[in-house]
Amino acid sequence: MLIDRTQSRWALATALIGAAAVAVYLWDAPRHLNGPSGSTAVGITLGSCALAIMLFCAALSLKRRVPHWRIGKAKTWLRAHVWLGLLTVLLVGLHGAFKTGGTLTTLLWVLLGFVTLSGFAGILLQQFLPRLLLHSVPGETLYQQLGRQLENIRTLAEQVVIESAGSLEAPKTAAISADLEYTPPEPDAPEAGEPIARFYRDYLKPFLEGDPGSQLAQTDRAASLFMALRTMTPPRLHGAVDELASLCERRREFQRQRRMMIVLFAWLIVHVPASWALIVLAIVHAVVALRWKGI
Amino acid sequence: MAKAMPIATFSEGRVMSNEEIRAVDIFADVDERTLEKFPGTVRRRRFKAGDVICREGEGGTTAFYIIDGVVEVFIGRRVGAAASRPTGLLARIGAALGQRRIGKPTHPPDRLIPIDAGSADLRYGELATRLNAGEVFGEMSCLNLAPRSATVVAETDCEMIEILRNMYEALQRSKTFKERTDAKYRERALDNHLRNVPIFSSLPDNAIEELRDCAELVAFEAGTTIFNEGEEADAMYIVRLGQVRVGKAFPGGVRYLAYLTRGDFFGETGLLRNAPRNATCSAVDHPVIESGRKRRAARVELVRIGKEHFERVIRRFPDLVDRLERVAAQRVREQQRAALTILPTVQPREVEDLGLLQGQNLMLIDLEKCTRCDQCAQACASAHEDNISRIVREGPRYEKYLVPASCRMCMDPVCMIGCPVGSIRRTEDLNIFIEDWCVGCGVCAKQCPYSSIQLHPLEALGEEESERAKRYAETGEVVNVTERAIVCDQCTSLPTGPACVYACPHDAAVRVNARDFLEASGLFPSAEDAAK
């Protein structure tokens, strides 16, 4: 969700409700000899509001399971989730008079912290990562298709190598290097494609197999390696070299996409379980407080 | 992806000699020179009861003339099945709370389903019929290379002749053959076609007979104009064979409002309102998808009802006028809607290449807002009873927008050209809609320039083959319909509008009139700027 001008009404409403809650708290605080707490009428009301908002926020994950149900647009739900969720932190603070209390309430504070911070992280990532994806991965594909696409690239690259070098097997000779001095064979000689086979053995294959340390994983280094390969091959094979370079670039793009998308959704690994744990413990806290402590 | 259609070869049976051909009555008028010019184009075929003659969806290049015997013609689909029950707790709760999903359309059982048999059509409730001696089937495959529209199985031992296009065209010029097929058409199909015209549906039998008697059977070469916009209206037409394109000129270009197929009618508005033609209608050829061979344009055959006959019937049945008015008003509404989206004369190259301005209701995803959560595709699946998403969140990009593979409601819906059973149509609000008697031939999917039509296995759609198809499948004789084409229906039957947009939590997905949206976003020059 992009935080832009269209959020101003939600921000204003949240600020107003928050200010009202603070005003009520400040008005009520001096009336209690032991100071404000969660057991006062105002404290219980604020706590109940916070729990209700938490339940509403959790309902977003249920709403996502029935996206076509006529219960409000998903964008309204998300905005409410974010802004009311933010309000919860204030309401919980006012409810407990900003004290941690016992073990359960301390744990609730910790969980609320995790939920809020992970939510912030999610929102923050959504401000720039989609844009970054748009510009740095022009050939973006569906996340579920990435594995298949990487496999396709590997197959295509191997086909190019076989077509230009005759086989994927290379003779045991020195590796190709950008700095190596090399005398190319006659352009029409059968061994003219040999450098491509060696390049495949030394650089391309490990890269296609996902070796994180491969030199082809770095754009600049890959460019110089392909430049060197061009000098070692006759002009008739330059098309094949360019195609391999382009396939490597596509693979780097897909790998970039995978990394970005993992980051884009990583915050949910903390946010979702922490949220459910928070809700369960908040309900336990409410029941215990209301029933056994006789509030 | 659309599948490749198998094409039956013309190698079975026995090649008939010229003497044998001449002995068949329909060839009586075909001259010797023609027979000599096209040797080997006619084969005699014998089928035993239960033999499969052709299969729906497969490619075909020949027509069959039944000399003796009876054949059963059917589409191997079960249609009009009851809506599937919701499964899962949430779905049941939703159903109990009145949350609607998009199910299969329903049609009256007597709804006409056009097939490639000159004198017969199917009914929605049955999807099967019989053809007897003296009848022809497979004309559209022979002349236009259309996929077979139905499966044909010999019900009794049959004798037939199978004819290639060159000879069939010669036959069409033959008086005897034309008289024979026209008579069969008048006898078996014309009544149904007249009743299929909503304005004539409740006329008494004697009025239909009168219309049938005065109807002329006419033919146009594909590509020729039947009538032009602005001309005086002198007749209305019903499509007998082939397709007709309805276009209307707007500033900036011609908009194609519809592609009409067998059983559809046109030209009645001008007659009713005594006004000039409000659209141009032309005969359309079938797309050559598989072979890519160069060939002569095919023919489009029409039923023509002249103005004087039309007015005579109108005078006798004044309540027809109300119905006609309603139909005419609907056509005018369609044209008004179409007029809202007019192609500009100047388009940026990329916009033109991507065909963006074809989109009257184009789906765009703002990739700066989209978090790739796929809620749009999930919502689409969830909104349809078959649980299949009509959107693939992949496609070309324009600026920061992704144009996913999803129906754009094109201004020229070329996907509609060539459907052998008329199952793809345009609704009043210009949506593209694929009916459930689709035979899965894939012509529409191949025709769509934007990959917006997908073929899905019947199993995945929760649909079944008909009992008849299963019976033949047990013998291993019939390759049944295994797929059906699916296209985005814009969720018009849902009160929330398109589920993809409704369910996008990031406000990234929009459905827009491409031109208005791009103009408003400053990504496309406005008409005034273009003029400057």
Side-chain angles (χ1 to χ4, degrees), chain A:
Chain A
M1 185 181 82
L2 272 185
I3 304 293
D4 54 17
R5 279 186 179 184
T6 61
Q7 308 279 339
S8 53
R9 284 186 183 181
W10 281 98
L12 185 65
T14 306
L16 287 176
I17 297 170
V22 171
V24 170
Y25 173 81
L26 292 177
W27 167 78
D28 182 61
R31 295 165 166 247
H32 304 283
L33 284 175
N34 297 330
S37 76
S39 59
T40 64
V42 167
I44 290 170
T45 308
L46 290 170
S48 303
C49 289
L51 182 58
I53 292 173
M54 283 179 201
L55 291 171
F56 168 76
C57 289
L60 181 67
S61 63
L62 297 177
K63 154 83 181 151
R64 288 169 69 96
R65 288 169 169 243
V66 283
H68 67 287
W69 279 21
R70 201 178 159 191
I71 46 174
K73 286 185 180 176
K75 82 172 178 187
T76 313
W77 273 73
L78 185 62
R79 286 174 184 202
H81 177 95
V82 169
W83 289 104
L84 294 180
L86 188 63
L87 191 62
T88 312
V89 182
L90 178 67
L91 294 181
V92 169
L94 296 175
H95 163 72
F98 298 97
K99 292 172 193 156
T100 52
T103 313
L104 181 59
T105 45
T106 306
L107 186 58
L108 280 169
W109 268 115
V110 171
L111 285 171
L112 185 63
F114 273 121
V115 172
T116 311
L117 290 176
S118 57
F120 267 128
I123 290 286
L124 197 66
L125 290 169
Q126 288 173 11
Q127 303 311 300
F128 68 91
L129 262 184
R131 200 168 295 166
L132 204 60
L133 257 174
L134 166 68
H135 297 295
S136 61
V137 189
E140 187 185 333
T141 185
L142 298 178
Y143 186 78
Q144 301 89 321
Q145 294 287 324
L146 277 172
R148 186 179 291 181
Q149 293 285 7
L150 292 173
E151 201 47 47
N152 284 348
I153 286 176
R154 182 182 171 156
T155 311
L156 286 172
E158 287 178 352
Q159 275 172 5
V160 173
V161 173
I162 290 169
E163 278 166 21
S164 49
S167 122
L168 293 175
E169 300 301 319
K172 289 181 181 172
T173 48
I176 288 170
S177 152
D179 322 313
L180 193 72
E181 278 188 27
Y182 180 76
T183 313
E186 288 301 309
D188 294 330
E191 63 271 22
E194 207 178 89
I196 293 181
R198 280 194 286 136
F199 183 83
Y200 172 77
R201 181 195 63 196
D202 300 332
Y203 299 103
L204 198 52
K205 193 172 177 216
F207 176 60
L208 295 174
E209 285 173 351
D211 175 11
S214 166
Q215 297 189 48
L216 289 178
Q218 303 156 34
T219 310
D220 294 345
R221 182 67 187 146
S224 53
L225 280 172
F226 276 108
M227 186 88 79
L229 184 60
R230 273 176 79 92
T231 60
M232 294 173 193
T233 48
R236 69 177 172 88
L237 291 178
H238 285 178
V241 175
D242 293 345
E243 204 174 334
L244 288 176
S246 146
L247 287 169
C248 287
E249 175 54 32
R250 275 175 65 192
R251 189 182 161 90
R252 282 194 295 274
E253 238 180 54
F254 286 141
Q255 284 177 324
R256 211 176 300 139
Q257 181 189 344
R258 177 175 274 168
R259 284 195 299 273
M260 284 184 183
M261 290 186 81
I262 288 171
V263 173
L264 192 55
F265 292 104
W267 60 278
L268 285 169
I269 297 169
V270 176
H271 192 74
V272 173
S275 299
W276 284 109
L278 175 67
I279 283 167
V280 170
L281 290 182
I283 291 169
V284 169
H285 164 72
V287 170
V288 169
L290 289 173
R291 187 158 181 181
W292 280 285
K293 290 196 176 174
I295 294 170

Side-chain angles (χ1 to χ4, degrees), chain B residues 159-190:
Chain B
E159 190 175 355
M160 299 190 193
I161 52 176
E162 190 177 5
I163 310 161
L164 279 176
R165 178 177 171 149
N166 294 345
M167 188 57 80
Y168 196 81
E169 282 178 341
L171 260 183
Q172 284 184 314
R173 292 190 292 272
S174 141
K175 199 178 160 198
T176 314
F177 179 74
K178 185 160 173 26
E179 280 174 3
R180 179 76 58 86
T181 48
D182 284 358
K184 281 281 180 194
Y185 174 73
R186 282 180 189 275
E187 181 190 319
R188 288 199 62 183
L190 185 51

